[in-house]
Amino acid sequence: MSSSSPRKIIIDTDPGIDDAMAIIYALASPELDVIGLTTVFGNAHVETCTTNAFYILDVAGRSDIPVAQGAGRPLAMDFRGPATFVHGNNGLADISMPPQSRRPHQLDAAHFIIEQVLAAPGEITLVPIGPLTNIALAMLLCPELPKHLAGMVIMGGNAFCPGNASPAAEANIINDPEAADIVFGADCPIVMCGLDVTERTVMTSEQIGFIATLDNPRARLAAQILPHYRDFHIARGKNDGIHVHDSTCISYMLAPQHYTTVAHPIRVDCGDGVGRGKTWPSLRHLMPGGPWTDRRPVTILTQVDSAAVVALELQRLTVD
Ligand code: RIB
Ligand code: CA
């Protein structure tokens, strides 16, 4: 593979308004080659997420990209239920979509990931932007999977700030802490794009208004769904705009210079107490035999040049 080849990625996703944004951003970026989408429960039930994934690809003119459906529930608990209050009843701001007749890939998400990665060892980066159930299942089915990955760039977790789904935990992680703990233990390069930066990356109402002036199908979809997401943020007393969660993975892959990072191994709280789902970096020396021992350091994003990465995403939306 030449150094100028686009980076092959599989986006594991629960679309989801901000998932849709990340997918269309990736599809508009020649540095990236989206070789598949895999779906997971989260913002909506998995079947709805799969329908939405097809629709997003259709809008982007990329119906050639396969969609493999994955887990409908977490590994070790019941699904907490769709985030209708954030993303609408259909996961995409309740916009109307034509009926979808396409069928998902014959392999489920975990097997699809394994097949693709083993067919291109060292070339594929996984970009999980939903609960980490599919990735954990793929690792359980194929323990050698991480060593064949180029790496993972994950939206999830909160290292040095509060959670958004509980005081302790971020939404993707609390939706399946057991899976997340498996995935953060993978022996491959991992980047954690957590709330530490995503809640400091803000696309303003004015910028959403700018998107509405653009005349291409991806921008029209964004302009349709983003006001719903913005209204949720305003109702929660946040900024007059949106936090940019899932697109952060794409921005980091395109422009890592806009981020500051630290590296620490991570464990996920899988207990039943108030800390469930918290991503804990080990900041001090590791006690031999302790919970963080033998875990590879994860690259944790800690600071962001919000204006620069939002400008980049907007610029990619202007391209036909
Ligand atoms: O906490 C943000 C994450 O959870 C994003 O992936 C978003 O889609 C949400 O549900
Ligand atoms: Ca998501």
Side-chain angles (χ1 to χ4, degrees), residues 33-274:
D33 177 11
V34 182
I35 64 166
L37 300 184
T38 51
T39 58
V40 64
F41 72 91
N43 292 323
H45 289 289
V46 68
E47 296 81 5
T48 305
C49 292
T50 302
T51 301
N52 293 349
F54 280 129
Y55 180 67
I56 295 160
L57 292 174
D58 290 347
V59 167
R62 291 303 309 271
S63 311
D64 57 300
I65 294 176
V67 177
Q69 183 165 292
R73 49 160 294 173
L75 293 184
M77 62 185 209
D78 291 334
F79 177 23
R80 290 155 46 93
T84 53
F85 52 100
V86 186
H87 298 270
N89 290 318
N90 72 353
L92 282 184
D94 294 326
I95 60 170
S96 68
M97 293 178 260
Q100 185 57 248
S101 58
R102 286 166 66 201
R103 303 286 309 145
H105 195 274
Q106 68 270 21
L107 294 178
D108 66 28
H111 286 92
F112 176 83
I113 288 167
I114 294 166
E115 182 189 73
Q116 296 293 318
V117 171
L118 296 187
E123 290 184 29
I124 295 175
T125 300
L126 300 182
V127 184
I129 56 176
L132 289 164
T133 318
N134 290 336
I135 314 301
L137 285 169
M139 287 174 59
L140 292 169
L141 286 163
C142 179
E144 69 274 23
L145 185 77
K147 77 167 187 270
H148 297 300
L149 285 169
M152 294 193 256
V153 181
I154 298 171
M155 193 284 129
N158 50 304
F160 308 109
C161 67
N164 61 354
S166 82
E170 183 277 329
N172 288 339
I173 306 300
I174 209 170
N175 262 326
D176 197 343
E178 283 76 14
D181 195 46
I182 291 171
V183 173
F184 279 110
D187 186 14
C188 66
I190 300 177
V191 179
M192 176 176 136
C193 307
L195 300 179
D196 305 87
V197 290
T198 66
E199 288 198 333
R200 286 197 235 145
T201 309
V202 176
M203 184 181 286
T204 65
S205 278
E206 192 179 350
Q207 288 168 319
I208 294 170
F210 165 73
I211 293 171
T213 68
L214 300 174
D215 188 24
N216 69 67
R218 287 176 295 102
R220 280 196 291 276
L221 172 61
Q224 264 187 300
I225 60 180
L226 284 176
H228 186 283
Y229 200 47
R230 188 249 347 259
D231 291 349
F232 160 75
H233 284 76
I234 291 172
R236 286 291 165 104
K238 307 202 181 207
N239 307 308
D240 180 17
I242 60 167
H243 291 152
V244 179
H245 293 299
D246 291 344
S247 289
T248 291
C249 295
I250 310 304
S251 290
Y252 178 76
M253 283 185 283
L254 300 180
Q257 70 274 16
H258 296 316
Y259 296 90
T260 303
T261 66
V262 295
H264 301 287
I266 285 190
R267 291 302 310 246
V268 179
D269 188 331
C270 294
D272 290 327
V274 293

Side-chain angles (χ1 to χ4, degrees), residues 6-18:
R7 194 164 161 183
K8 288 183 185 168
I9 65 171
I10 295 174
I11 303 179
D12 185 69
T13 176
D14 59 336
I17 295 172
D18 62 325

